[in-house]
Amino acid sequence: MELYELTLHELQERLARREVTSEEIVKSIFTRINRVEDKVKSFITLIEESALQRARVIDNGGIYPGIAGIPLGLKDIFCTRGVKTTCGSKILENFVPAYESTASGRLDQQQGVLVGKLNMDEFAMGSSTENSAFFATRNPWDLTRVPGGSSGGSAAAVAADEVPFALGTDTGGSIRQPASYCGVVGMKPTYGRVSRWGVIAFASSLDQVGVFSKDVRDNALVMNIIAGHDPLDSTSAAIEVPDYTSNLDGDVRGLRIAFPKEYFGPGIDAAITKSIKKALQKYEELGAIVEEVSLPHSQYALPAYYLVAPAEASANLARFDGVRYGYRDFEAENVVSMFSRTRAQGFGDEVKRRIMLGTYALSSGYYDAYYLKALKVRRLIANDFAKVFHDFDLIVSPTTPTIAFKLGEQSGDPLTIYMNDILTVPVNMAGLPGMSIPCGFEQGMPIGMQLIGKAFDEATLYKAAYAFEQNTDYHTMKPDLGVK
Amino acid sequence: MALTIKEVEHVALLARLSLSEDEKKRFGEQLSSILNYADNLNSLPTDDVEPLTHILTVNNVFRTDDIKPSMDRDEMLANAPQAENSQYKVPKIM
């Protein structure tokens, strides 16, 4: 087995036993990247020289606590000091941040080794990574299909063994949906669990940082590092972070699992429904209590999300005006024209569409009808979840209605592509933790199971996900990229 | 409802986006279709529902007003498309 194929915890063990050096691991990772990257196209930026240099410094230190010496990737939405951060956009094509995001900074302090920045839909707006201003990433399981999005580069890189783990962000499903499409583990923790400082903002009341990994233990290990309060993000929660690896015991006896009937309705592929039902059976065999419930306002989550998220985005993206950083149009004769031309040339279609939509929903005369209405509906959605969690520990559903679609297949009507988020969006609206783990295959493509937990109860998600993983082998399956 | 070109132009101005004629037409149609979809929300009575603006119950997070080192000016200005005398430079405003 090659080093690049190993999980984070397997690499930790080998480093601790002095069987390998960090430099050997990083070299192995770049060997892999060089072989598969022209097929998968996960990375916008690779920093081989500095990664190797970092690895040698760590090797010289001679000790490997935590993630010391282990390679990682970051979605190109995390500001990285001295490393270009594009957010998948032409407007930030040459942006080199002068500061580091808290989440990536914590990995850096723990001596994780950054190998590169991963492709994404522009400003995290999209479900296929086709909205990247630079190029589309491919699904490692089938290069004619999308990896999902917006954190498609992160999911594809982990699935293709280009990195053992990566960070992403999730505003309406941008971690869970690509994790599902690429057959990897993806966790979006509770809103406020991880600091958003230094993460380029899309919709600030929904955005959350999370982890892509090859298995559940790795995911918990990384969450242990990035979770917790940060004085630089006043919406990060001052709630104690438990050791997420301490409950990985495979015991789900007595765990109360709900499955919402609205998440198994028409529009969800039969093969996916079947696969999730089978997983629920597995949980029952393992001693969990499984019951059907209703989340009656589910159908309203998506339309409400597509008002709230664009509204927040229209405000957040106002900062990209060609003054302080990024692209500028130099032809304009006055400042308003400079703003408008810079933004018109710097943003792609989907970003413009959402800025327009959000601006409209917030504009005088429409605020009550659209934005305020959506916030009221958001309350009803959160209440639905609260009611179920009064009696249950966990909600289980499919992550996505279909398997990964083909590149170009959904590029026409924006509403069609928004439908991919129908099962993940409600979780962001309610601010709850959600996770996707591999639970089956259809036409050779991975299927993901979504686990939804109570606020700040990521530990139960990890526990239940680990139990499923221990009793199945979906997480060990690897795509065949035709190289060895 | 369908957005008129005039409405699209108004929103584009508010959003500081200079759109081509083709974009105005296309975005107008797409926004209309998304807003029609959003009109589904109107079937839900919400008169007595408090809007949920934020998931966490925190508000007014205070810190003590201590002086701390801030980011280096030249390093921040290094990303500016145009800077002069330690200031951002923009086209004329008035």
Side-chain angles (χ1 to χ4, degrees):
Chain A
M1 203 148 182
E2 300 288 339
L3 290 173
Y4 61 72
E5 295 176 89
L6 300 179
T7 63
L8 161 58
H9 60 87
E10 287 164 345
L11 291 168
Q12 280 180 327
E13 286 158 19
R14 293 197 184 201
L15 283 167
R17 291 199 301 260
R18 301 289 190 278
E19 291 172 11
V20 292
T21 63
S22 173
E23 188 180 359
E24 285 164 351
I25 296 171
V26 173
K27 278 187 171 160
S28 172
I29 285 291
F30 275 98
T31 303
R32 176 65 174 175
I33 289 170
N34 289 333
R35 278 186 202 146
V36 302
E37 183 57 11
D38 62 334
K39 298 183 181 200
V40 182
K41 296 156 96 68
S42 308
F43 286 93
I44 292 176
T45 303
L46 282 162
I47 50 167
E48 182 166 7
E49 273 316 302
S50 75
L52 283 166
Q53 202 184 338
R54 185 82 200 274
R56 284 191 284 264
V57 170
I58 295 163
D59 287 333
N60 285 336
I63 50 164
Y64 303 97
I67 59 161
I70 296 187
L72 66 103
L74 294 171
K75 183 179 186 178
D76 209 15
I77 196 168
F78 293 89
C79 284
T80 41
R81 191 183 172 94
V83 179
K84 193 177 72 164
T85 300
T86 69
C87 217
S89 182
K90 189 183 163 194
I91 212 162
L92 287 177
E93 196 169 1
N94 299 309
F95 176 58
V96 180
Y99 57 92
E100 184 82 21
S101 84
T102 297
S104 61
R106 287 185 180 180
L107 298 177
D108 187 61
Q109 278 155 20
Q110 300 285 315
Q111 302 184 79
V113 178
L114 179 65
V115 303
K117 305 291 295 290
L118 294 153
N119 199 18
M120 55 184 287
D121 286 301
E122 184 179 7
F123 285 102
M125 298 174 187
S127 308
S128 69
T129 314
E130 291 167 294
N131 290 342
S132 165
F134 308 113
F135 48 84
T137 296
R138 311 295 174 121
N139 192 310
W141 292 88
D142 176 350
L143 299 173
T144 68
R145 292 178 191 267
V146 302
S150 66
S151 315
S154 300
V158 172
D161 282 332
E162 293 182 292
V163 280
F165 76 95
L167 295 190
T169 57
D170 187 317
T171 304
S174 283
I175 287 173
R176 289 158 289 157
Q177 184 252 19
S180 172
Y181 281 6
C182 291
V184 298
V185 177
M187 167 65 102
K188 179 208 89 78
T190 313
Y191 181 84
R193 181 75 294 183
V194 180
S195 168
R196 294 181 295 111
W197 164 258
V199 181
I200 296 167
F202 163 12
S204 300
S205 81
L206 301 161
D207 295 346
Q208 186 53 204
V209 171
V211 184
F212 289 91
S213 62
K214 295 180 183 180
D215 69 12
V216 174
R217 177 174 296 278
D218 281 6
N219 208 291
L221 281 165
V222 180
M223 192 56 66
N224 278 350
I225 298 170
I226 63 170
H229 181 249
D230 172 15
L232 295 175
D233 173 6
S234 57
T235 64
S236 72
I239 295 174
E240 203 188 332
V241 180
D243 176 359
Y244 293 117
T245 63
S246 65
N247 281 324
L248 306 183
D249 52 16
D251 183 8
V252 291
R253 283 173 298 170
L255 193 75
R256 297 164 303 171
I257 300 177
F259 65 96
K261 64 177 181 204
E262 292 82 2
Y263 286 51
F264 292 82
I268 314 298
D269 269 11
I272 290 179
T273 299
K274 199 174 147 197
S275 184
I276 307 299
K277 289 277 168 76
K278 206 174 132 196
L280 287 167
Q281 255 172 27
K282 176 63 80 180
Y283 275 124
E284 265 187 325
E285 284 165 27
L286 296 172
I289 300 150
V290 176
E291 279 176 40
E292 187 183 78
V293 295
S294 174
L295 295 168
H297 297 96
S298 296
Q299 60 168 307
Y300 301 105
L302 198 67
Y305 172 86
Y306 274 99
L307 293 171
V308 172
E312 293 185 16
S314 71
N316 273 327
L317 270 60
R319 74 192 62 180
F320 299 101
D321 55 11
V323 174
R324 288 151 298 167
Y325 33 69
Y327 176 82
R328 175 189 291 186
D329 170 82
F330 281 100
E331 306 291 311
E333 285 171 2
N334 64 60
V335 80
V336 173
S337 160
M338 188 276 278
F339 293 158
S340 303
R341 292 170 58 106
T342 293
R343 290 161 63 78
Q345 293 159 33
F347 291 138
D349 263 13
E350 183 61 25
V351 174
K352 287 182 195 171
R353 199 150 40 230
R354 294 205 201 182
I355 290 174
M356 293 281 290
L357 182 58
T359 304
Y360 182 81
L362 290 175
S363 67
S364 168
Y366 299 100
Y367 179 91
D368 285 3
Y370 289 109
Y371 185 64
L372 192 66
K373 179 80 185 183
L375 291 181
K376 290 180 169 189
V377 173
R378 186 175 183 183
R379 167 85 59 192
L380 296 174
I381 292 155
N383 288 350
D384 278 0
F385 280 109
K387 216 166 160 187
V388 169
F389 281 126
H390 189 264
D391 300 313
F392 292 87
D393 304 305
L394 191 68
I395 293 172
V396 164
S397 79
T399 308
T400 57
T402 64
I403 55 168
F405 50 92
K406 299 260 183 185
L407 273 102
E409 190 182 325
Q410 294 194 3
S411 53
D413 176 27
L415 271 175
T416 311
I417 200 159
Y418 295 171
M419 292 297 167
N420 291 292
D421 304 331
I422 199 152
L423 304 174
T424 47
V425 149
V427 182
N428 301 74
M429 293 294 269
L432 301 171
M435 188 174 187
S436 182
I437 58 171
C439 75
F441 287 89
E442 164 68 6
Q443 298 171 46
M445 298 304 295
I447 295 172
M449 167 163 61
Q450 179 171 235
L451 290 75
I452 306 165
K454 295 176 187 171
F456 297 101
D457 191 19
E458 288 80 8
T460 297
L461 296 191
Y462 281 129
K463 184 186 174 75
Y466 185 78
F468 183 78
E469 198 179 76
Q470 288 299 294
N471 288 281
T472 54
D473 58 3
Y474 302 112
H475 66 291
T476 63
M477 309 283 189
K478 302 247 190 195
D480 177 12
L481 282 158
V483 290
K484 219 12 190 166
Chain B
M1 60 175 286
L3 260 68
T4 63
I5 291 289
K6 226 175 152 170
E7 283 173 309
V8 173
E9 283 171 347
H10 174 63
V11 175
L13 176 69
L14 293 175
R16 297 288 186 265
L17 282 171
S18 114
L19 300 183
S20 67
E21 292 308 311
D22 168 65
E23 281 179 319
K24 285 178 200 168
K25 187 169 173 289
R26 189 155 43 89
F27 287 147
E29 284 163 8
Q30 288 169 338
L31 293 188
S32 302
S33 129
I34 297 166
L35 290 169
N36 278 335
Y37 177 61
D39 285 338
N40 281 328
L41 299 180
N42 293 334
S43 62
L44 207 55
T46 51
D47 285 352
D48 303 325
V49 182
E50 263 305 291
L52 179 61
T53 50
H54 214 272
I55 288 305
L56 302 174
T57 48
V58 292
N59 51 54
N60 294 343
V61 179
F62 294 113
R63 59 173 170 77
T64 52
D65 190 17
D66 300 327
I67 297 172
K68 287 179 187 165
S70 48
M71 288 178 195
D72 182 75
R73 180 160 59 186
D74 289 336
E75 212 181 340
M76 298 311 285
L77 281 167
N79 269 306
Q82 244 185 326
E84 210 174 280
N85 301 328
S86 296
Q87 294 170 76
Y88 294 111
K89 190 175 179 183
V90 294
K92 68 169 188 268
I93 290 176
M94 312 262 302

